[in-house]
Amino acid sequence: MFCKVNFVLASAIVFAGCSASSSTNGGSSNDTGSTGAPVETRAPNTSYKPAFEGQTRIGSVTTKTPYAGTAISTALQSPWGIAALPDGRLLITQKGGTMRIATTAGQLTEPITGLPPVNSKGQGGLLGLAIDPDFASNRMVYWVFSEDVEGGNLTAVAKGALSADEKRIENASVIYRATPAYNGDKHFGGRVVIDKTGNLIISTGERSDLVTRPQAQDPNSGLGKMIRITKDGQPAPGNPTIGSRPEVYSYGHRSPQGLAFHPQTGDLWESEMGPRGGDEINIIQPGKNYGWPTIGYGIEYNGQKVGEGITQQQGMEQPVYYWDPVLSPSGMTFYSGDAIPEWKNNLFIAGLNSNHIARIVLNNNKVVGEERLLANEGQRFRDITQGKDGALYAVTDGGRLYRIAKQ
């Protein structure tokens, strides 16, 4: 049995021996809907100016509806991706190369095996996943992973069917590899979503190092891209013509770990990590160039400028919003439920070194408010999704599964 405790006392009670923790919000008297001071109070890493008002450090909002974030399981092993199955349970990837199924009460199955071997060094491993819309009849799952190949490793996409006894993936096959390979352990990207036409969109990173970084701007490389393919791994019909790779959907990306479709507009939103500063959220449009490493709002980890140190250039897209210092955004989801009306169509982003979930309020594709959820839990949030029951479910690098719902 898991305990539900007061937000302020959560950490103390956990260390006293409770098996899980809960963050609660008792509501707010802020009925005007107006925003307060920005949630970020630290000094920025750079003196760069935003391209437009509201592109960074927007005013804060506070959820008025009472809600609770409860750790319903603490037994996962480095979870990375989470998706809801048709019956309401949750399929979760673990970085080391297995999957688990969790109930909405937190009970876990034994690890699901049968997947191709992964390279789990550094930022690699078994990464994001997507459930086939026809899962009830075909039981198909799609996932992204870092794979060892000749010449190094790369971001790969595979598919397979979950066995009837839910113990293994059957007939697993790799359907796409984002070449060229590189002998590194960072920036694999790793999210996958299924668009309304039934095709897969996958995020790939530029592999971090200076030697590979320019490939984000090279439309003939699979690195630093949004890739759109069929369920058999072929370039999807209707893709833009950018270079010699017809699977490339957009380019100029650094370390994109979040993808989600807006429930009203259908737009594809993406979260992307910058270096020191310059984390972004973008609306992905086919054929567009998102700038990395030519433009950005961050600096190198050693404090030097990235390239020429510019933030704008003709022909390159501006982020809808950016952070400095960083959020370290990973997985994300939109809320489309009715239980907490003020969250309707809000974007929720799992933050890693920021140790919170960012609630982003949008209006006409502009950020108009920001809130930090579960910030007292001390967890690196890796992914978040909305369950079939309307609650939000989030996983952390430390092995926790949270349920976030109205009290």
Side-chain angles (χ1 to χ4, degrees), residues 144 155 188-191 201-205 225-227 256-257 259:
V144 184
T155 301
F188 292 95
R191 294 297 172 193
I201 300 178
I202 300 101
S203 67
T204 71
K225 305 297 189 295
M226 294 295 136
I227 302 294
Q257 288 194 13
L259 290 175

Side-chain angles (χ1 to χ4, degrees), residues 7 94 113 179 212 275:
F7 186 94
Q94 298 186 134
T113 60
T179 56
T212 60

Side-chain angles (χ1 to χ4, degrees), residues 203-242:
S203 67
T204 71
E206 37 67 285
R207 305 307 307 278
S208 178
D209 292 352
L210 288 173
V211 67
T212 60
R213 184 183 290 179
Q215 294 194 48
Q217 284 295 314
D218 181 358
N220 302 313
S221 166
L223 280 60
K225 305 297 189 295
M226 294 295 136
I227 302 294
R228 183 168 173 267
I229 56 176
T230 68
K231 293 176 181 178
D232 293 323
Q234 299 303 307
N239 279 354
T241 301
I242 302 174

Side-chain angles (χ1 to χ4, degrees), residues 256-272:
Q257 288 194 13
L259 290 175
F261 289 106
H262 192 288
Q264 277 192 329
T265 67
D267 290 335
L268 177 62
W269 287 68
E270 173 246 24
S271 67
E272 182 167 334

Side-chain angles (χ1 to χ4, degrees), residues 245-301:
R245 301 181 73 124
E247 73 270 26
V248 171
Y249 194 68
S250 68
Y251 63 114
H253 301 288
R254 182 178 182 268
S255 181
Q257 288 194 13
L259 290 175
F261 289 106
H262 192 288
Q264 277 192 329
T265 67
D267 290 335
L268 177 62
W269 287 68
E270 173 246 24
S271 67
E272 182 167 334
M273 297 187 192
R276 284 180 59 188
D279 286 356
E280 301 177 355
I281 49 175
N282 296 287
I283 300 175
I284 300 301
Q285 299 181 52
K288 297 293 186 180
N289 181 352
Y290 289 82
W292 179 258
T294 307
I295 63 172
Y297 287 91
I299 56 176
E300 302 282 8
Y301 294 112

